[in-house]
């Protein structure tokens, strides 16, 4: 049995990742594929316990270093308990966020040295790398407007200042530029169905996905 493929969706606040993850999972499941849908922070029971520490409360509740260690504590459990076993049995895993979010939020936007995250990743999860990453891109203004229209309590990062979100957006674009074989940037200001079609079009042209 060959190992499954690991696909991630990344982007700032209000880019519509979760909707796109749902649409892709429904599409591939209807095609008869074995798909595991998951998310970060969280995705496994112990990582979901860490999630509220990170996404609720004051914007300055944690320093970028403490935050990074908590995201990685959750990620190690998520990888070990959910992602790696699913890929090993041949299922494809589709995750709403993964390690690029730590690089974008805690390094590019939060100010932590990118080498700290690179080294931490090598130590904690040397084999964990997505095969394909969709970076959904939208203007900061439109993204924050969309995010604010959701009525939930997970607003810790939304409440960081506008400059944080500008650095975040540029961070995701730079991550994609540095790793063009893995990352595809999609214009998330388009209607939901157009974004979904763009995602399917990318998959159609990747022979390793069918
Ligand atoms: P979500 O809103 O996509 O569910 O993600 C939760 C928040 O956590 C979001 O504001 C982005 C943030 N985040 C980081 O800052 N670093 C990370 O490594 C991850 C996975 C998420």
């Amino acid at each position: 049995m060959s190992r499954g493929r690991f696909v991630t969706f990344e982007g700032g606040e209000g880019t519509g990742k979760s909707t796109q993850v749902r649409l892709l999972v429904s599409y591939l499941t209807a095609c008869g594929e074995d798909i595991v849908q998951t998310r970060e922070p969280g995705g496994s029971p112990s990582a979901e316990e860490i999630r509220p520490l990170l996404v609720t409360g004051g914007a300055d509740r944690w320093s970028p270093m403490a935050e990074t260690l908590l995201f990685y504590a959750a990620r190690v459990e998520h990888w070990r308990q959910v992602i790696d076993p699913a890929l090993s049995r041949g299922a494809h895993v589709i995750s709403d966020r993964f390690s690029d979010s730590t690089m974008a939020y805690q390094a590019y936007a939060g100010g932590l040295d990118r080498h700290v995250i690179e080294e931490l990743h090598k130590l904690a999860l040397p084999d964990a790398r997505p095969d394909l990453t969709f970076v959904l891109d939208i203007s900061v203004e439109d993204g924050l407007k969309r995010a604010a229209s959701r009525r939930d309590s997970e607003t810790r990062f939304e409440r960081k200042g506008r400059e944080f979100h500008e650095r975040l957006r540029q961070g995701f674009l730079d991550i994609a530029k540095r790793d063009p074989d893995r990352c595809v940037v999609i214009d998330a200001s388009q209607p939901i169905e157009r974004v979904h079609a763009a995602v399917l079009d990318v998959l159609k042209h990747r022979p390793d996905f069918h």
Side-chain angles (χ1 to χ4, degrees), residues 13 17 40-41 51 55 71 75 96-98 101-102 105-106 157:
E13 307 297 316
K17 289 176 293 84
E40 287 207 347
R51 180 179 173 99
V55 299
F71 278 116
R75 184 163 299 134
D96 186 340
R97 299 195 183 282
F98 194 64
S101 280
T102 312
Y105 278 81
Q106 279 66 51
F157 286 92

Side-chain angles (χ1 to χ4, degrees), residues 86-100:
L87 296 173
S88 298
R89 73 173 158 83
H92 301 309
V93 175
I94 300 181
S95 185
D96 186 340
R97 299 195 183 282
F98 194 64
S99 51
D100 294 316

Side-chain angles (χ1 to χ4, degrees), residues 9-15 17-18 39-42 51 54-55 67-68 71-72 75 96-106 150 152 154-158 160 164-165 168 172:
F9 281 76
E10 297 280 6
E13 307 297 316
T15 53
K17 289 176 293 84
S18 310
R39 68 162 181 184
E40 287 207 347
R51 180 179 173 99
L54 286 160
V55 299
E67 240 168 47
T68 298
F71 278 116
Y72 265 87
R75 184 163 299 134
D96 186 340
R97 299 195 183 282
F98 194 64
S99 51
D100 294 316
S101 280
T102 312
M103 185 58 85
Y105 278 81
Q106 279 66 51
R150 291 192 303 242
D152 66 24
E154 296 186 339
T155 56
R156 194 173 149 250
F157 286 92
E158 273 168 52
K160 291 188 183 261
F164 178 95
H165 291 280
L168 182 65
F172 276 120

Side-chain angles (χ1 to χ4, degrees), residues 110-150:
L112 196 68
D113 187 328
R114 63 175 297 125
H115 296 113
V116 171
I117 294 170
E118 283 165 358
E119 291 305 313
L120 182 59
H121 192 91
K122 271 191 231 156
L123 276 171
L125 287 170
D127 303 323
R129 186 177 188 274
D131 297 293
L132 175 61
T133 297
F134 292 102
V135 174
L136 302 193
D137 180 58
I138 195 168
S139 74
V140 168
E141 200 179 340
D142 289 352
L144 288 178
K145 235 186 265 166
R146 273 200 207 168
S149 67
R150 291 192 303 242

